[in-house]
C-alpha cells in the first residue's frame, strides 16, 4: 500500500471536490476532529514501519497546514473527538 497525502474539500451540500495533493506526510491509521467551532486537526498515524507524532491543522477555509512534528507520543489507530463546543482531544492508540 502507498500512503497518500491527498485532501478533498466537501461543500455544504455534500459535493466532494477534486484531489489536492502534497499536503503533509502521507500516512494511515490517523485521527482527526473539529476544534474552535470552525477548524480541524489531523494527527498521528503510521507511515509503515514508523508510528508518527505529526499534526496538521485545517483552517476554516479548508487549507491544511504543513506537518508539525514532535507532538505527543508517536502512535496510530487512535481516536479523536471534539468537546465543549470549541476543543478537541486525541486519545488511546498503538505505540511502536
Amino acid at each position: 500500500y502507498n500512503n497518500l497525502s491527498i485532501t478533498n474539500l466537501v461543500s455544504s451540500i455534500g459535493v466532494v471536490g477534486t484531489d489536492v495533493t502534497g499536503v503533509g506526510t502521507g500516512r494511515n491509521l490517523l485521527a482527526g476532529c473539529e476544534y474552535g467551532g470552525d477548524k480541524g486537526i489531523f494527527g498521528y498515524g503510521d507511515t509503515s514501519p514508523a508510528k508518527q507524532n505529526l499534526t496538521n491543522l485545517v483552517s476554516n477555509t479548508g487549507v491544511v497546514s504543513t506537518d508539525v512534528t514532535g507532538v505527543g507520543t508517536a502512535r496510530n489507530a487512535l481516536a479523536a473527538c471534539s468537546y465543549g463546543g470549541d476543543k478537541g482531544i486525541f486519545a488511546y492508540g498503538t505505540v511502536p
Side-chain angles (χ1 to χ4, degrees):
Y1 295 98
N2 293 322
N3 295 323
L4 301 176
S5 61
I6 294 176
T7 61
N8 302 85
L9 296 181
V10 180
S11 75
S12 61
I13 59 169
V15 176
V16 179
T18 58
D19 291 349
V20 177
T21 60
V23 181
T25 299
R27 54 200 193 268
N28 63 32
L29 299 172
L30 64 156
C33 69
E34 179 183 335
Y35 75 95
D38 65 350
K39 292 174 277 306
I41 186 169
F42 292 105
Y44 307 97
D46 191 333
T47 57
S48 296
K51 310 290 191 280
Q52 299 297 314
N53 60 349
L54 304 172
T55 58
N56 302 89
L57 299 180
V58 182
S59 74
N60 63 353
T61 60
V63 176
V64 179
S65 72
T66 58
D67 294 341
V68 176
T69 61
V71 181
T73 300
R75 59 196 193 267
N76 71 359
L78 65 159
C81 71
S82 58
Y83 72 97
D86 62 351
K87 294 173 278 302
I89 187 169
F90 290 100
Y92 309 106
T94 302
V95 296

